[in-house]
Amino acid sequence: MDLKLKDVADLLNVSETTIRRWLADEKIPAYRLNHQYRFNRTEIEDWVLSHKLGKENQTSPDSATKPSTEEEQGSHASIGNKQFSLYRALNKGTVIHRVPGHNKEEVLRTTMKVMAKELDLDADVLTDLLLERESLHPTSLNNGLAIPHARDFLLDAHHDVVTLAFPETPIPYGALDGKPVHTLFFLFACDDKRHLHLLSKIAHLSSHPETRKLLQTKPTKEVFLEYVKNWESDISSKKD
């Protein structure tokens, strides 16, 4: 699905002025059609992940770039900082340990058999949606982490779901750093804006060495929920 400039600004909660500045600096992927900018939805997702758009007090891929107006500051403030949104999504999901599978497809398919029951959806359909997205570009974050999610699929619900899965053994995933994946955040959101928001928030959370160290221990749901709650609370207090 292709997006217009206004669509991208709305999805990322920034002003159109900010998007135009990123375009001028060639910091966001886009193309021209009939003298207007268009954006590929999947490319924007990959851009969000690769630039970890969600760090507090950061309004562009270049942390040295500051918002030029109060409007930009206000519109961007909610990126990655909606208090406890990741905590709520994780609470709606679950944590699955020792997921069997020797490759990406096997692990995704096995995990969907568990998640589909909770979501009241078809496991095979969900697996196919995830694999379709992976065929476009691996959803890995490097350092052994990935965020499998579907393309153009939203939950028919009023909440988002994030499930944490730990494969029995790390699996090849096509990550840029070449490392196998040992932790997967499965993301299903109920609207586009929350989808991108949670992608950016998980990417930001995963960028911290202490988070990666905790994930290596394969924590329980209760332990990881407490960690995420404290992390989101800390983000909120810094923003205040």
Side-chain angles (χ1 to χ4, degrees), residues 143-155:
N143 296 303
L145 310 178
I147 313 178
H149 57 273
R151 181 189 183 205
D152 297 331
F153 172 79
L154 298 172
L155 288 179

Side-chain angles (χ1 to χ4, degrees), residues 2-13 16 196:
D2 290 334
L3 306 169
K4 297 181 180 179
L5 190 146
K6 183 179 182 302
D7 299 326
V8 175
D10 184 55
L11 285 172
L12 297 181
N13 278 347
E16 293 184 32
L196 285 176

Side-chain angles (χ1 to χ4, degrees), residues 74-174:
S75 64
H76 185 81
S78 62
I79 295 183
N81 292 289
K82 294 176 182 175
Q83 192 172 28
F84 305 133
S85 59
L86 180 54
Y87 173 86
R88 289 193 295 268
L90 282 163
N91 195 42
K92 288 290 185 180
T94 188
V95 174
I96 309 173
H97 294 86
R98 302 183 63 82
V99 179
H102 297 92
N103 55 51
K104 183 189 297 188
E105 180 174 351
E106 289 179 2
V107 169
L108 296 186
R109 195 169 297 280
T110 301
T111 306
M112 285 307 96
K113 288 180 180 178
V114 177
M115 288 194 70
K117 294 177 182 178
E118 300 295 328
L119 299 175
D120 195 24
L121 295 170
D122 186 278
D124 290 333
V125 171
L126 289 179
T127 302
D128 289 344
L129 289 171
L130 293 175
L131 290 173
E132 179 187 17
R133 175 63 178 87
E134 294 292 337
S135 70
L136 298 174
H137 193 280
T139 59
S140 55
L141 294 173
N142 293 333
N143 296 303
L145 310 178
I147 313 178
H149 57 273
R151 181 189 183 205
D152 297 331
F153 172 79
L154 298 172
L155 288 179
D156 185 16
H158 298 292
H159 59 266
D160 313 304
V161 175
V162 172
T163 281
L164 190 60
F166 299 106
E168 196 166 23
T169 57
I171 56 172
Y173 214 89

